Amino acid sequence: MSDNIELLSIPGKWDLTYNYTAGETISKFLIEIRDNARIMATKCNQCNRVIVPPRSYCERCFISIKDNWVELEPTGTLEAYTIVTYKFEGLPDPPYIIGYFRLKGADTTIPHFLTGIDLSDLEFARKKIKVGLPVRLIFKNRGQREGRMTDFRIEPLQHDR
Amino acid sequence: MGQRVGIVATGQTRYRSKRKDCSAPDMVYEATSRALADAALTLKDIDAIIFGLAPEALDGINSMDKWCADAAGARNKPFMRVHTGGATGSSVANAAVYHVASGMFDTVLAVAMERVGETPDAQTILNRIYDPVVASDFGLNIINHVAMETSRGMEAYGFTEEHMAMISVKNHLNAFNNPYAHLQINVSVEDVLKSPVVCWPLKLLDCCPRSDGACAVVFASEKKAKRMAPVPVWVNGMAALTDITVPGEIRGGQEQIRLTAARAYQMAGIDHPREQIQVVECYAPFSSLELMYYETLGFCERKDVVKLVESGFGAMDGEVPFVPSGGVMCTNPIGATALIRIAEAAIQVMGKGEKRQVPDVTNALATGYGGSPGPGSASFVTVMVLGKK
Amino acid sequence: MSEHIAITGIAQSKRPTDNKNSLADLIFEVSSEALADANLNIDQLESVTLAAHDMMDGRAITTMLNAAPAGAYLKDEIRVAEDGAFALIMACLRVLSGHFTNSLVVSWHRSSECPDNTFHTVANLSYDPFFYRPFALNDVTAHAIQAQRYMHKYGVSELHAAQIVRKNRSNGVNNLLAHLRSEVTAEEVLKSGHISYPLKALDLPPLSDGACAMVITSSKKLKSSNKPRAWIKGFGWSNDTYYSGDKELAHLESLSLAANQAYQMARINNPFKQIDVAEIHDITSYHELMEYEALNFCPGGAAGKYVDNGSFEINGELPINPSGGCLSSNPYTATGLIRVAEAALQVTDRAGEHQIAGAKTALAHGMSGLCAQSNCLFILTGNI
Ligand SMILES: [Zn+2]
């Protein structure tokens, strides 16, 4: 075979529709956010863990914890974070901060964007963000909430303006 | 434990960001045929095949294993595909060991591959590994998860971006000795520190590339292995553990790796890894992950990690070389990556490492890692201890 | 086999699945039920083997999200991307290797999350982009070509296939867990309209939601109990070429090879006489006919005659798919594991309204890939 044969590839694109079922447990959680601006978690009475986003079961004790709800305060701490400065296809335009947040009283964390930080100077921003940073949840107004995790944003508890 | 199982042959493709020269089955064939040639075997010697492929969205073909089955020599033979994300390759190896140890087969081929080059941005697809209902809105992917783990690690272990850069420099240097490695570039500490920040604290040269490639390993029963290979490599210890970690916690991956290694060590009779193991092929696609393995695989205490990095512990001329192949940081065809760790560890025990050979290897260690911390989500860790005896 | 393996726990999802349960909830439900059925505590569980397909689940690594509800926390867990029955093979190999004494096996698919169009598109995406994919091949059209080839080769009629649908749908009425529980006549099948010749709407299975879980235990670790147990006497699996144009489509070669292996292990030499009931993967009605031949229930090309004789009816000599089969319920990936579950229920006299009286030996069949590329087979008995 010749050394300089033209090597071909053809384009392909996946554009598929899926409908992801939330189920009772997640539905209740999202509806509480939408209708009452409240964060509800499930609790395992065997290992005492409070799980949010809630699960209907405890994977450690392997029992159902479906109807054991507890309400969490809309505050918490930053557990880990990154400042994204690269443009990934289909993902938001950089820069932005993604963090894992532990809501007060929860044994698990939730992912979310950390907002309320000026990202025009990334060096400066990095100094302001620390693991353990106290944060609060700020819900959209009632009519704007649609039962998604994006119905609230998370920002530092103390704003230095 | 059932039958003793040995590795008798390995085969790898040349890894590239895009292997434009071959189709997916071609790539599988390249690795498979090289593995057969390595021990002068033919397809007739192979009783069953296990195939590894990670998220097929990366390749753009659903169940691509079916398309590649013929190229793996699997027509009219027992065949199945294993998929545990990034740990796929090592899960394939584990499955091959079970195939042989069950007593049902004498010789089993494990082959794993990925064409990450088929998709413009792997991280777009890797965003879809997270929960579609509660977690998919936040731009999560593997890189930013590791960035978070790294920032926690810096606090817990006290390492700096410079220490990470030292690991990166070492691995890029090692890759020059590996004829299959994807990235073969000269990198200085300065280069790493000055490379663009992808997700702080990870910079471009702290991160693995996206590679096309395939790897194959032949496993055999004790009786056959002794006949097939001059130096059969024995699987003396293996363990796999799925954990549901809490994202953001440092406990996460680190504790899981420690637990898995402890199980594999126990099976292999390893109680002082630093004295008993001469080379490590760990699954570290990012520089920061490798130095944390020094502790979690039992080579030192957490407080000594920085000291070890600074003293060149894991370098080719160091006390215990880590990833003489250049590792995942220089080559990452996702579904094959963890099998490459096992192939490279086996090559070290066989003494076939040529320029990357570590002297006097009697025990080698290979690890695999798949999945990711995330809300309710699983990560998969494997550890395999290979030995000359 | 160096030791015996028993199926000690079985659970299938209840019908109808509704939106009260997320996919993870569905998986947790069957996993915990199977463990309870096996009287096995989560702490005693050593191994978890799963079967699931990412693209069909719409999750890039579906077990990342669904290993937790399948009991995998801090367990040695592995997933096959094959039909559910292959996860049981993996579990058996792990137990036979001596590394584990038990395993939970779980498989699922939720068709309601994956609309028909997506399902068929993904099936089309299973084909290589160069040679097969551009020609509208998918789970329906490729199987139609196979069915046509089979008809052509052996003179089997559309009526024979329609009789299979009539039989299985009628059996499904007695299975409380079946998705479709209504009878259809052969006439209705013939008039149901061609989707892709010769396949008509009713020759095709529904797309269903469902999950299935099973616990297996090594005989060495079995505690005494009065509970009936199904024993795995033999199993086998094999794979054919991907290039469906390069094989004799009318012969399910890899199924024959899988059967040879399983029959040899279970010492079956006359399957038609020695097997009391079979649950096979009727991905289309025509495939069930081809499977009779590949499984050596009848000579090659004789399936039509046996159908005419009623051999495989619920009251025939070898009842096939008393549960209603895939043509009554088809939670895609889970389908093969459900076949094994149903066979296990039969040999332990637990199949309820669709129990075959006195069934002692049962066969179960799982299938992966298009045009029956990969097949696996189990022979179960009620006693060792
Ligand atoms: Zn609990």
Side-chain angles (χ1 to χ4, degrees):
Chain A
M1 189 174 292
S2 120
D3 277 338
N4 37 19
I5 181 167
E6 186 185 2
L7 299 168
L8 304 178
S9 58
I10 59 173
K13 188 172 172 67
W14 289 28
D15 186 4
L16 302 171
T17 306
Y18 295 97
N19 303 302
Y20 298 109
T21 307
E24 270 183 345
T25 304
I26 303 294
S27 294
K28 179 180 164 66
F29 170 72
L30 294 176
I31 288 164
E32 283 287 348
I33 290 174
R34 185 189 67 195
D35 295 351
N36 304 315
R38 288 204 300 182
I39 300 290
M40 300 295 288
T42 50
K43 183 178 177 190
C44 174
N45 284 344
Q46 201 161 308
C47 64
N48 285 321
R49 290 188 313 138
V50 172
I51 297 172
V52 68
R55 296 198 272 279
S56 64
Y57 56 89
C58 170
E59 82 279 0
R60 297 191 184 180
C61 306
F62 219 62
I63 56 172
S64 173
I65 54 171
K66 200 171 174 179
D67 295 308
N68 202 21
W69 292 96
V70 292
E71 187 185 346
L72 297 181
E73 284 179 40
T75 60
T77 48
L78 176 67
E79 288 290 330
Y81 69 95
T82 179
I83 304 174
V84 182
T85 41
Y86 182 84
K87 174 63 186 167
F88 294 103
E89 188 186 327
L91 300 181
D93 288 331
Y96 51 93
I97 305 167
I98 316 171
Y100 272 111
F101 302 90
R102 191 188 300 276
L103 301 189
K104 202 173 167 190
D107 289 282
T108 58
T109 57
I110 59 169
H112 217 294
F113 298 123
L114 179 64
T115 57
I117 303 267
D118 183 0
L119 290 175
S120 56
D121 180 348
L122 294 180
E123 273 305 324
F124 182 67
R126 197 176 296 148
K127 283 185 193 125
K128 292 182 60 175
I129 307 164
K130 281 269 177 297
V131 169
L133 179 79
V135 296
R136 58 178 182 159
L137 278 54
I138 298 161
F139 287 86
K140 289 180 182 167
N141 292 331
R142 193 183 170 81
Q144 294 170 314
R145 296 197 299 264
E146 46 187 353
R148 299 281 308 244
M149 291 294 277
T150 41
D151 284 353
F152 58 86
R153 61 191 162 87
I154 296 185
E155 65 175 41
L157 195 59
Q158 253 114 35
H159 248 303
D160 40 5
R161 290 165 206 277
Chain B
M1 295 298 135
Q3 287 206 42
R4 214 172 163 210
V5 180
I7 292 175
V8 297
T10 68
Q12 298 182 61
T13 61
R14 179 72 162 86
Y15 305 109
R16 282 269 187 273
S17 50
K18 196 161 170 74
R19 283 290 303 269
K20 275 199 160 192
D21 59 322
C22 58
S23 69
D26 292 342
M27 226 153 70
V28 169
Y29 179 75
E30 190 176 316
T32 302
S33 54
R34 284 179 181 174
L36 294 175
D38 191 34
L41 304 174
T42 70
L43 218 42
K44 280 205 191 86
D45 296 306
I46 303 295
D47 303 321
I49 292 98
I50 308 105
F51 195 88
L53 182 71
E56 51 240 287
L58 294 170
D59 308 84
I61 295 167
N62 179 52
S63 295
M64 191 167 75
D65 49 297
K66 297 291 179 288
W67 182 27
C68 295
D70 291 84
R75 187 173 189 173
N76 293 344
K77 290 198 174 164
F79 173 82
M80 67 171 90
R81 171 183 167 206
V82 165
H83 168 15
T84 55
T88 295
S90 47
S91 295
V92 166
N94 288 4
V97 172
Y98 299 132
H99 273 62
V100 176
S102 72
M104 288 181 73
F105 305 99
D106 272 328
T107 312
V108 170
L109 172 75
V111 54
M113 59 102 57
E114 205 83 64
R115 303 203 66 145
V116 192
E118 301 288 275
T119 176
D121 192 339
Q123 296 301 328
T124 312
I125 286 152
L126 294 177
N127 168 251
R128 299 198 183 138
I129 63 180
Y130 298 99
D131 190 298
V133 180
V134 298
S136 65
D137 291 322
F138 306 107
L140 297 178
N141 59 32
I142 298 285
I143 297 180
N144 51 45
H145 263 95
V146 174
M148 289 189 255
E149 199 176 344
T150 302
S151 59
R152 288 305 298 259
M154 291 168 86
E155 291 171 25
Y157 289 75
F159 64 83
T160 63
E161 293 179 64
E162 282 79 5
H163 292 118
M164 290 158 54
M166 289 162 77
I167 298 284
S168 174
V169 168
K170 167 187 75 80
N171 291 348
H172 283 94
L173 193 64
N174 288 355
F176 277 108
N177 292 328
N178 177 2
Y180 304 108
H182 171 184
L183 292 185
Q184 291 177 320
I185 48 170
N186 266 312
V187 163
S188 69
V189 168
E190 179 120 306
D191 293 337
V192 181
L193 292 173
K194 281 192 173 157
S195 63
V197 177
V198 177
C199 290
W200 184 86
L202 297 175
K203 292 160 296 298
L204 195 60
L205 289 171
D206 289 309
C207 304
C208 62
R210 314 181 302 130
S211 316
D212 277 5
C215 176
V217 177
V218 180
F219 293 81
S221 60
E222 181 164 14
K223 220 167 102 191
K224 286 263 183 181
K226 284 177 173 163
R227 247 184 286 154
M228 285 174 165
V231 186
V233 179
W234 303 107
V235 179
N236 290 331
M238 59 190 269
L241 217 50
T242 293
D243 200 357
I244 320 298
T245 56
V246 177
E249 276 187 356
I250 189 67
R251 179 194 103 71
Q254 312 316 315
E255 183 62 17
Q256 184 186 7
I257 291 163
R258 199 193 323 275
L259 282 170
T260 317
R263 285 191 188 188
Y265 287 164
Q266 195 187 10
M267 196 187 288
I270 301 277
D271 36 29
H272 294 91
R274 192 159 166 178
E275 281 83 54
Q276 292 166 281
I277 292 165
Q278 292 79 38
V279 59
V280 178
E281 278 286 341
C282 59
Y283 190 103
F286 301 90
S287 57
S288 54
L289 298 179
E290 180 172 320
L291 50 85
M292 291 191 272
Y293 276 114
Y294 291 2
E295 181 216 2
T296 51
L297 294 176
F299 288 86
C300 70
E301 310 260 317
R302 179 174 291 193
K303 64 177 170 48
D304 295 327
V305 163
V306 164
K307 226 185 311 174
L308 254 53
V309 175
E310 288 171 353
S311 72
F313 174 78
M316 274 312 273
D317 57 356
E319 188 180 328
V320 180
F322 270 56
V323 293
S325 65
V328 191
M329 284 193 66
C330 297
T331 306
N332 192 10
I334 299 175
T337 301
L339 187 60
I340 298 171
R341 306 279 68 72
I342 289 166
E344 284 291 332
I347 285 169
Q348 291 290 345
V349 177
M350 289 173 179
K352 289 184 177 178
E354 296 177 351
K355 276 159 73 185
R356 63 192 186 285
Q357 180 67 45
V358 173
D360 306 320
V361 175
T362 53
N363 285 308
L365 191 62
T367 75
Y369 187 94
S372 169
S377 84
S379 41
F380 318 108
V381 167
T382 66
V383 175
M384 191 178 268
V385 184
L386 299 176
K388 213 169 225 166
K389 293 207 178 109
Chain C
M1 275 189 276
S2 54
E3 60 189 289
H4 294 284
I5 298 174
I7 296 174
T8 52
I10 298 168
Q12 297 180 56
S13 54
K14 310 284 173 289
R15 81 175 279 278
T17 53
D18 54 31
N19 288 346
K20 282 186 178 172
N21 289 320
S22 68
L23 178 58
D25 294 340
L26 198 67
I27 293 163
F28 174 71
E29 181 186 296
V30 292
S31 303
S32 49
E33 261 180 47
L35 287 170
D37 191 37
N39 201 14
L40 196 70
N41 191 302
I42 188 78
D43 299 331
Q44 299 167 305
L45 181 66
E46 296 174 10
S47 153
V48 176
T49 64
L50 309 174
H53 284 291
D54 292 347
M55 293 310 300
M56 293 302 186
D57 281 1
R59 289 147 173 90
I61 304 177
T62 182
T63 49
M64 236 182 82
L65 303 167
N66 294 317
Y73 172 66
L74 291 185
K75 303 293 179 194
D76 188 324
E77 167 259 321
I78 194 167
R79 181 260 290 246
V80 298
E82 303 279 357
D83 172 84
F86 283 84
L88 178 58
I89 288 181
M90 182 65 82
C92 289
L93 292 171
R94 282 156 70 99
V95 169
L96 290 176
S97 76
H99 288 247
F100 305 93
T101 61
N102 61 38
S103 187
L104 176 66
V105 185
V106 194
S107 188
W108 60 84
H109 177 63
R110 189 168 188 140
S111 297
S112 61
E113 290 198 350
C114 175
D116 290 15
N117 281 337
T118 302
F119 187 92
H120 300 314
T121 304
V122 172
N124 171 251
L125 290 170
S126 305
Y127 282 109
D128 80 85
F130 307 100
F131 305 118
Y132 279 61
R133 193 188 290 177
F135 304 107
L137 288 167
N138 63 18
D139 56 307
V140 176
T141 57
H143 288 158
I145 295 170
Q146 193 167 27
Q148 190 280 329
R149 170 77 194 170
Y150 175 65
M151 282 173 72
H152 163 79
K153 181 143 181 161
Y154 290 124
V156 177
S157 70
E158 293 187 61
L159 178 60
H160 286 126
Q163 294 290 5
I164 301 293
V165 184
R166 193 245 332 125
K167 167 180 75 72
N168 289 358
R169 290 288 298 273
S170 155
N171 291 350
V173 173
N174 290 321
N175 177 1
L176 302 177
L177 302 179
H179 173 190
L180 302 179
R181 293 185 65 206
S182 55
E183 298 196 52
V184 296
T185 63
E187 179 113 332
E188 284 170 316
V189 179
L190 291 172
K191 287 188 174 158
S192 63
H194 281 113
I195 303 284
S196 182
Y197 174 82
L199 297 179
K200 296 162 291 297
L202 289 173
D203 287 315
L204 295 167
L207 294 174
S208 318
D209 286 6
C212 181
M214 202 174 282
V215 175
I216 62 166
T217 309
S218 154
S219 55
K220 288 178 189 161
K221 278 286 165 127
L222 272 186
K223 283 170 276 176
S224 62
S225 127
N226 295 325
K227 230 187 79 192
R229 293 184 169 113
W231 295 90
I232 297 173
K233 294 291 283 185
F235 59 101
W237 69 109
S238 193
N239 168 73
D240 207 333
T241 179
Y242 160 84
Y243 301 99
S244 42
D246 295 349
K247 62 179 179 184
E248 175 46 69
L249 280 169
H251 295 163
L252 306 186
E253 180 70 19
S254 74
L255 180 56
S256 292
L257 291 170
N260 290 347
Q261 193 188 345
Y263 289 164
Q264 197 181 8
M265 214 183 215
R267 300 206 174 84
I268 302 272
N269 43 45
N270 186 342
F272 187 70
K273 289 274 176 269
Q274 287 173 274
I275 292 165
D276 302 314
V277 58
E279 283 282 341
I280 65 179
H281 200 304
D282 46 333
I283 188 75
T284 75
S285 50
Y286 291 83
H287 282 78
E288 181 165 322
L289 291 163
M290 288 183 260
E291 288 159 13
Y292 295 161
E293 299 172 10
L295 292 168
N296 214 11
F297 291 168
C298 67
K305 201 176 81 196
Y306 276 61
V307 168
D308 291 338
N309 292 340
S311 303
F312 304 120
E313 300 288 332
I314 193 89
N315 54 4
E317 291 147 281
L318 173 47
I320 308 264
N321 286 333
S323 69
C326 182
L327 287 167
S328 298
S329 318
N330 179 30
Y332 185 65
T333 320
T335 300
L337 194 59
I338 292 171
R339 304 275 73 69
V340 186
E342 285 289 338
L345 293 173
Q346 287 289 349
V347 295
T348 50
D349 202 23
R350 295 205 287 164
E353 291 184 45
H354 57 292
Q355 177 67 44
I356 303 299
K360 291 192 173 65
T361 302
L363 176 150
H365 165 218
M367 185 194 279
S368 256
L370 291 158
C371 292
Q373 186 177 336
S374 284
N375 288 280
C376 68
L377 211 63
F378 286 87
I379 306 292
L380 307 181
T381 62
N383 299 299
I384 299 187

